[in-house]
């Protein structure tokens, strides 16, 4: 099995992978420098910990919301706000595509939690892959990655034994947007900090409009975004209840009852449920290609310019 | 996972809880933009702020990795406030969270 593509073919190979991802619906694709990820990720969470002979990490970004989604209730957005399943689907398909076309071992990188580490440590940081691949930069909103053209995206990764030329991280960070800098100068806060319902964001911006500090209380954010963490608590409360009424309250009170529905239908409404920081973020909502309406307009204008 | 098996005592829980909780990923502080800029000296300097693994916390606190992991995971469940989630039900469709409205209704 030939594991290395000859030098002249490398850029063509990369282009064919990028074309595959775009055809399947990706907005951005990049190859991360494997050595950089290996150096930055902690032991146990490096690509080689998962796939010992990995040579390249490909990061795929898909669009966040439709434009209409930003205007709906948080209750509704909880169910359909995250679009990561498309990123995973493309990554899964790309692993097959590489094996089929280039006969080189590849995998879809599991986006899941490390089963030994509880509810908050992923096996791999897809965020780190995307950042090093140059398709997102850390924002003041808890390090959510933002893209200057596409705004807010979801990411999937492919690991492969194919050697590909790595891309570079973004030269500039689109966060904070100029309007956020103005707001920060007058109030000491940015929109994401002000409107976060968990009040878990803080940060600083220097005179040149660059981020100097980002502070994120992830535990507080998790209370709004990782409802699956509640399940053991509810069961423990039901077991500890010493009368049927308290047991009913624990299992069916408040929004607890909805958990059983979400779990039984495998609803996306159990994770990534709060979008309030992104809803008010100008990069996420108003970048040139942030949603299908803006992308359609850009396509129309560009084809009009060509004729 | 058992508390006794890893030698985790109540005193140990008391003494190390806050430190273990915040040294993990539960609080994340970043200065500058060192990953994007690939500034490795800064990345190394900031590891404690951006979040440590259980092995790294264990080394720092002179505990075993299993003890750290046990304490951290238990705390992440115990400190999870299930009542905050309902705040989301009132937001969206033009209505944004305001800290000053907290407790008003
Ligand atoms: S997802 Fe929600 S809780 Fe988390 S930082 Fe954003 S606004 Fe705050
Ligand atoms: S609202 Fe968006 S662009 Fe503005 S500071 Fe927050 S994350 Fe950055």
């Amino acid at each position: 099995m030939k594991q290395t593509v000859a030098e002249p073919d490398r850029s063509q190979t990369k282009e064919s992978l990028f074309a595959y991802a775009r055809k399947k619906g990706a907005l951005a694709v990049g190859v991360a420098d494997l050595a950089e990820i290996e150096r930055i990720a902690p032991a146990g969470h490096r690509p080689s910990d998962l796939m010992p002979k990995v040579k390249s990490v490909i990061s795929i970004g898909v669009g966040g919301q439709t434009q209409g989604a930003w205007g709906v209730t948080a209750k509704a957005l909880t169910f359909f706000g995250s679009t990561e399943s498309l990123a995973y689907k493309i990554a899964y398909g790309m692993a097959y595509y590489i094996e089929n076309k280039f006969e080189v071992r590849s995998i879809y990188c599991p986006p899941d939690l490390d089963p030994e580490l509880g509810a908050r440590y992923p096996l791999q940081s897809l965020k780190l892959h995307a950042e090093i691949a140059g398709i997102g930069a850390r924002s003041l909103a808890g390090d959510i990655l933002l893209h200057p053209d596409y705004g807010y995206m979801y990411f999937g990764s492919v690991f492969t034994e194919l050697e590909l030329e790595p891309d570079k991280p973004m030269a500039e960070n689109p966060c904070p947007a100029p309007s956020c800098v103005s707001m920060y100068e007058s109030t000491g806060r940015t929109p994401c900090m002000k409107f976060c319902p968990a009040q878990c964001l803080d940060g600083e911006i220097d005179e040149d409009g660059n981020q100097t500090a980002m502070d994120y209380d992830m535990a507080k954010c998790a209370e709004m975004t990782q409802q699956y963490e509640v399940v053991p608590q509810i069961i423990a409360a039901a077991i500890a209840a010493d009368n049927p009424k308290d047991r009913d309250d624990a299992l069916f009170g408040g929004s607890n009852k909805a958990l059983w529905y979400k779990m039984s239908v495998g609803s996306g409404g159990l994770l990534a449920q709060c979008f309030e920081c992104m809803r008010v973020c100008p990069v996420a909502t108003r970048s040139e290609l942030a949603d299908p309406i803006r992308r359609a307009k850009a396509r129309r204008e560009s084809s009009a310019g060509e004729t | 996972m058992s508390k006794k098996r890893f030698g985790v005592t109540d005193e140990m829980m008391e003494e190390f809880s806050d430190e273990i909780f915040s040294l993990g990923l539960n609080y994340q502080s970043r200065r500058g933009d060192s990953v994007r800029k690939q500034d490795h000296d800064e990345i190394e300097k900031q590891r404690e702020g951006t979040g440590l693994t259980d092995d790294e916390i264990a080394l720092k606190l002179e505990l075993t990795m299993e003890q750290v992991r046990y304490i951290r995971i238990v705390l992440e469940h115990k400190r999870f406030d299930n009542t905050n989630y309902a705040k989301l039900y009132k937001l969206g469709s033009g209505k944004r969270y305001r800290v000053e409205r907290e407790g008003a209704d």
Side-chain angles (χ1 to χ4, degrees), chain A residues 12 24 57 166 170 184 201 217 223 230 251 276-277 291:
Chain A
Q12 270 180 327
K24 298 290 177 187
V57 173
M170 285 177 185
Y184 177 82
L201 301 173
D217 185 339
E223 291 169 5
V230 168
L251 291 172
E276 298 310 302
C277 50
D291 58 63

Side-chain angles (χ1 to χ4, degrees), chain A residues 36 40 71-72 74 117 120-121 131 143 170-171 173 211-216 218-219 223 233 255 273, chain B residues 24 26 28-33 35-36 38 40 47 52 69 72 77 80-81 84-85 88-89 91 93:
Chain A
E36 278 294 307
I40 298 168
V72 305
L117 304 184
R120 294 183 185 170
Y121 282 74
E131 185 178 23
D143 273 358
M170 285 177 185
N173 192 329
Q211 302 175 23
T212 50
M214 190 291 307
D215 294 299
Y216 172 47
M218 187 265 202
E223 291 169 5
Q233 244 188 33
S255 54
Q273 299 161 294
Chain B
N26 295 302
Q28 299 173 28
S29 286
R30 165 170 65 77
R31 300 291 170 259
D33 208 351
V35 173
R36 183 178 61 81
Q38 297 176 298
H40 289 279
R47 281 204 189 269
L52 298 179
R69 186 165 295 169
R72 178 181 61 75
H77 278 292
F80 193 102
D81 183 347
N84 279 327
Y85 187 76
L88 280 180
Y89 297 147
L91 302 175
S93 272

Side-chain angles (χ1 to χ4, degrees), chain A residues 139-141 146 174-177 180 190-193 205 211 277-278 280-284:
Chain A
S139 70
L140 288 171
L146 292 175
C175 167
C180 302
T190 57
C192 52
M193 293 174 203
I205 299 171
Q211 302 175 23
C277 50
M278 291 295 99
V280 295
C281 171
V283 179

Side-chain angles (χ1 to χ4, degrees), chain A residues 144 195-198 200-201 216 220-221 224-225 274-277:
Chain A
I144 285 175
F195 295 113
C196 165
C200 65
L201 301 173
Y216 172 47
K220 280 275 152 243
C221 178
M224 314 301 284
T225 55
C274 172
F275 299 88
E276 298 310 302
C277 50

